[in-house]
C-alpha cells in the first residue's frame, strides 16, 4: 500500500468481507463466535470467568462480543454465565447430597447469599426449595 487511499480502500474491503462473513454465519443460526463463547463458559464457569477473559479467548473486543451475545442470544455475558452456572447447580442439587452452599461454590459462587439470590432470580425459587421440590425419592 502506497497511499492513505490504498489503506482506506483495503479497510473498506475488509469491512465488507467481515459483514458478509457475519451475514453468512447468522443464516446458520448463531455465529461460530457465540458457540465458542458458550463453550468457553462451559469450560470456565467454576472460575471468576470475566467477559474480558472470554473475549480474549475468542479474539474479540469485550464490548463487541457483548453486543453480539445480546443480539444472538438476547442475554448479556453475565446473564449467560449465570444461567449456565444455575443449570449446573440444578443438576448437582438433584444428583448429589451436597449442601446448597457447597453446590454454589462448585459452580463458581463463593458467597452463598449471592448464589441464593441469583438462583432465585433465574429459577423463581431458592436452591433449597428447588432441591426439596425435585428430589428423587
Amino acid at each position: 500500500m502506497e497511499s492513505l487511499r490504498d489503506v482506506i480502500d483495503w479497510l473498506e474491503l475488509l469491512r465488507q468481507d467481515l459483514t458478509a462473513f457475519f451475514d453468512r454465519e447468522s443464516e446458520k443460526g448463531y455465529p461460530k463466535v457465540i458457540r465458542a463463547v458458550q463453550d468457553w463458559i462451559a469450560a470456565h464457569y467454576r472460575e471468576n470467568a470475566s467477559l474480558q477473559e472470554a473475549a480474549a479467548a475468542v479474539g474479540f473486543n469485550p464490548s463487541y462480543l457483548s453486543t453480539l451475545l445480546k443480539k444472538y442470544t438476547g442475554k448479556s455475558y453475565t446473564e449467560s454465565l449465570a444461567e449456565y452456572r444455575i443449570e449446573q447447580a440444578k443438576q448437582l442439587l438433584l444428583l448429589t447430597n451436597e449442601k446448597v452452599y457447597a453446590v454454589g461454590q462448585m459452580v463458581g459462587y463463593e458467597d452463598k447469599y449471592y448464589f441464593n439470590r441469583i438462583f432465585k432470580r433465574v429459577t423463581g425459587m431458592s436452591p433449597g426449595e428447588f432441591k426439596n421440590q425435585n428430589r428423587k425419592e
Side-chain angles (χ1 to χ4, degrees):
M1 289 181 231
E2 297 178 8
S3 69
L4 180 57
R5 186 75 230 156
D6 291 342
V7 172
I8 291 170
D9 290 343
W10 179 80
L11 287 172
E12 177 58 23
L13 287 172
L14 180 60
R15 186 195 63 77
Q16 289 172 1
D17 285 348
L18 286 171
T19 300
F21 170 77
F22 283 119
D23 287 345
R24 284 190 308 274
E25 287 299 311
S26 68
E27 291 169 3
K28 298 177 190 174
Y30 291 163
K32 288 180 184 175
V33 68
I34 300 301
R35 286 189 206 101
V37 170
Q38 291 169 334
D39 291 345
W40 189 89
I41 286 173
H44 298 277
Y45 72 94
R46 292 179 185 96
E47 306 162 14
N48 184 14
S50 71
L51 171 61
Q52 289 72 21
E53 292 170 313
V58 298
F60 275 74
N61 173 287
S63 178
Y64 185 59
L65 179 60
S66 183
T67 300
L68 286 176
L69 279 168
K70 193 70 164 175
K71 177 180 177 181
Y72 288 102
T73 68
K75 300 174 196 142
S76 69
Y77 172 80
T78 303
E79 291 167 328
S80 298
L81 176 61
E83 277 191 11
Y84 190 85
R85 283 177 167 172
I86 297 308
E87 285 305 312
Q88 299 309 304
K90 287 164 59 176
Q91 294 301 310
L92 289 168
L93 288 168
L94 295 177
L95 300 174
T96 71
N97 290 322
E98 295 291 339
K99 302 272 186 206
V100 169
Y101 73 88
V103 168
Q105 290 174 340
M106 289 177 187
V107 298
Y109 293 107
E110 290 302 315
D111 183 324
K112 65 182 178 183
Y113 300 109
Y114 185 65
F115 170 62
N116 284 332
R117 192 165 60 241
I118 298 298
F119 193 98
K120 188 163 189 166
R121 183 182 309 147
V122 171
T123 66
M125 64 182 81
S126 73
E129 291 169 335
F130 176 84
K131 187 173 185 171
N132 290 335
Q133 285 183 12
N134 296 288
R135 187 177 302 179
K136 306 267 190 253
E137 307 263 349

